[in-house]
Amino acid sequence: MEHGGKVLVAPRSLAGRGEVALLADPEGALFAVIHSASGDPLDYLAEDNQWMWIELWAKDPKTMATFYSGLAGYEVNPTPMSNGKTAYQLASGGYARCNIIPTPEPGHPSAWLPFLRVHNVKASVVAVVQAGGRVIVEPDPEVRAGTTALIIDPTGAAIGLVQGSEDGKP
């Protein structure tokens, strides 16, 4: 694959879905692509309990933004972070599609983190624990105004929770 990525599962057809492939970017973060048989869904604002956002936590966010921009033609918008580092928002068709941010800890592998919109992030972390999951990062007013948490579900998958406002902004 061009630019240092790898094909892990070659493109294959899935009945009723389209053509899919599993890939890895140059830092090893896994991602899948699909050419949907029914076309792309319309853009919409996620409601509670729907997937809202995705971030790539990367060792070199600028290089990864260049990789994904070259792969899918995204516009790259550098955005300063409160810690003095830079995030890179990828956009297409006038819509933000994802953020690429520095990994929070040196040595952590690069990975995609999906975010689920919830009505109340504090109540959701209580429900996570009751359902057998673990809370890795509690809601904290110093981190995104206390509107997010990071959990591990019972199968080991990392998921971000974000409490969305009525205007759709996390």
Side-chain angles (χ1 to χ4, degrees):
M1 188 170 156
E2 283 187 48
H3 311 291
K6 293 180 183 163
V7 176
L8 302 177
V9 177
R12 60 180 61 180
S13 292
L14 294 179
R17 291 288 297 148
E19 191 174 30
V20 300
L22 178 64
L23 311 168
D25 69 23
E27 291 189 359
L30 302 179
F31 66 103
V33 293
I34 184 170
H35 183 257
S36 176
S38 61
D40 291 335
L42 296 175
D43 287 305
Y44 65 94
L45 175 62
E47 295 181 18
D48 289 346
N49 305 316
Q50 290 182 332
W51 296 111
M52 181 166 184
W53 188 244
I54 192 161
E55 288 181 341
L56 175 62
W57 291 14
K59 295 173 188 168
D60 185 344
K62 185 176 183 179
T63 298
M64 291 301 92
T66 300
F67 171 78
Y68 285 100
S69 175
L71 183 69
Y74 289 114
E75 304 159 24
V76 177
N77 302 308
T79 307
M81 297 174 67
S82 61
N83 61 6
K85 296 183 179 183
T86 302
Y88 296 86
Q89 183 184 83
L90 301 183
S92 70
Y95 291 94
R97 303 299 180 185
C98 69
N99 257 356
I100 300 176
I101 65 171
T103 54
E105 295 290 330
H108 280 191
S110 298
W112 284 97
L113 179 66
F115 281 82
L116 182 68
R117 182 177 176 168
V118 297
H119 178 72
N120 181 309
V121 72
K122 289 180 181 178
S124 294
V125 297
V126 169
V128 164
V129 172
Q130 290 173 344
R134 295 181 293 139
V135 179
I136 303 302
V137 177
E138 295 275 350
D140 181 341
E142 298 293 317
V143 179
R144 299 181 181 179
T147 62
T148 61
L150 177 58
I151 66 156
I152 303 292
D153 78 6
T155 69
I159 301 169
L161 303 178
V162 61
Q163 181 174 307
S165 62
E166 292 303 314
D167 63 5
K169 295 180 182 173

